[in-house]
Amino acid sequence: MRLRHPTPDDPTGLARPRTFDANYGAGVRRGASLGGGGTFFVAWQLGYLQGLARHGVRIDTADRMVGTSAGSIVASTLAHGKLHQMFVETEALALVPELVRVLFPADATKPSQQAALDRYLHATDADPATILAIGQAARTADTPGPATMARDLILVVGEHWGADALWMTTVDTDTGDRCVVTVDAGVSVAQGTAASSAVPGIFAPQPLGGRTCMDGGVCGTGVHLDLLAGADKALVLSLYRDEELTEGMLTLAPGDLTRELDGLRASGTEIFFQAPEHHPMDIGGLMDPKAVPGALAMGARQADSDVADRGIADFWD
């Protein structure tokens, strides 16, 4: 399914309305949604997916991999067949947290950075005005230039698209449009990943055609399950379970994830859902490099359990 459809109103052809009615996943046999969640969730997903791979469950065989923020980094790694390599490198880097901080800086050291980050962290809804306010703050935050992040990510995910299956989500800072970056977008995979993971206040929004785009989680979802609607089956990796979200944050509101999962099931898609067994704040926080070893181990432990007790191998087969 080719996703880029330029129009006079959208010459980039990247905007995709969030709707389950579009059946974006029609014809997809196996899909995966790798959600957003900072450095912690990059590590957890690596541990989980590498754990599955050790048991012969290869998520890189998905017909579609939807990556958002942290998940876009992991999905790009999968698409390039570098899951094991990145797992090993992250495991080694975890022994030297200072190096992780260089690759994934988490500090908003300037007032404009902190203001943008706070707008995102404390956003309790995904109303258009909320998203546009975050976008404005992201554009004006005094962060390193956009080329810096894209350049750094080349070292992690490369420049070339590893698979047509890779779809990465991002949000236009000027319009609030949810955009989807694929191999048809005409940008490097590193630039697409940089846009999807451009946390407001931490990283500069990325230029994509005529758009300026920020983190794909800034729109009321970290998983974008409508992009898999109509698929036969889908693995969904989320930072949280809905019952854990007692108040709004990061443009997410309680009940949002449940509504997405229900919408995906209603489209006829069978779901295997998993989230970290412990809240990231229990082991250091979303962006703390010191949380990486615990997150890697947690993901691997849950993968072993899902193979032994929940039948994920049969599900994915």
Side-chain angles (χ1 to χ4, degrees):
M1 177 181 181
R2 293 299 181 185
L3 197 67
R4 187 171 179 268
H5 301 290
T7 67
D9 293 332
D10 178 24
T12 66
L14 299 179
R16 291 289 109 184
R18 281 184 61 200
T19 172
F20 284 90
D21 293 337
N23 247 29
Y24 293 122
V28 171
R29 177 172 175 259
R30 295 184 294 191
S33 170
L34 309 185
T39 305
F40 165 86
F41 206 39
V42 170
W44 184 90
Q45 290 185 56
L46 289 173
Y48 184 79
L49 295 172
Q50 178 61 21
L52 293 183
R54 282 197 295 266
H55 292 285
V57 182
R58 295 277 304 276
I59 305 304
D60 59 352
T61 61
D63 304 299
R64 178 166 306 152
M65 292 182 283
V66 177
T68 298
S69 196
S72 73
I73 296 173
V74 179
S76 297
T77 300
L78 277 175
H80 281 79
K82 294 182 177 180
L83 175 65
H84 177 71
Q85 177 183 334
M86 188 170 180
F87 173 83
V88 171
E89 291 174 351
T90 302
E91 195 173 37
L93 285 172
L95 300 175
V96 189
E98 292 78 9
L99 294 180
V100 180
R101 197 177 298 279
V102 169
L103 285 176
F104 304 105
D107 298 324
T109 57
K110 300 173 183 176
S112 62
Q113 288 183 273
Q114 191 62 55
L117 182 59
D118 285 345
R119 274 194 178 273
Y120 179 37
L121 293 177
H122 303 304
T124 59
D125 59 64
D127 291 344
T130 301
I131 294 172
L132 292 177
I134 295 171
Q136 170 67 18
R139 290 195 308 274
T140 57
D142 189 9
T143 58
T148 300
M149 186 183 184
R151 184 189 64 231
D152 290 345
L153 279 170
I154 288 174
L155 302 175
V156 180
V157 302
E159 293 185 80
H160 304 293
W161 290 77
D164 290 355
L166 178 60
W167 289 22
M168 294 184 286
T169 64
T170 187
V171 176
D172 189 310
T173 60
D174 291 297
T175 66
D177 290 336
R178 190 272 302 275
C179 296
V180 181
V181 187
T182 70
V183 67
D184 297 323
V187 300
S188 72
V189 72
Q191 190 172 359
T193 306
S196 182
S197 52
V199 180
I202 302 295
F203 301 110
Q206 292 289 316
L208 294 179
R211 296 180 179 271
T212 303
C213 295
M214 60 183 169
D215 193 290
V218 191
C219 62
T221 177
V223 287
H224 296 269
L225 297 186
D226 65 300
L227 296 178
L228 295 174
D232 291 347
K233 61 181 68 175
L235 171 67
V236 178
L237 302 184
S238 170
L239 175 66
Y240 70 101
R241 294 174 172 82
D242 224 355
E243 61 269 21
E244 299 169 346
L245 192 66
T246 57
E247 58 185 20
M249 65 174 188
L250 301 170
T251 71
L252 303 167
D256 282 348
L257 179 59
T258 296
R259 285 186 284 273
E260 280 200 80
L261 290 167
D262 288 347
L264 185 56
R265 289 192 185 95
S267 76
T269 302
E270 184 182 3
I271 300 171
F272 192 102
F273 176 88
Q274 189 54 285
E277 61 188 0
H278 298 301
H279 193 279
M281 296 308 292
D282 294 339
I283 59 173
L286 287 180
M287 303 297 286
D288 189 344
K290 293 179 182 178
V292 168
L296 286 169
M298 187 193 311
R301 183 168 61 248
Q302 290 183 252
D304 290 343
S305 176
D306 285 351
V307 170
D309 303 326
R310 297 185 63 203
I312 190 171
D314 290 337
F315 170 84
W316 194 250
D317 185 45

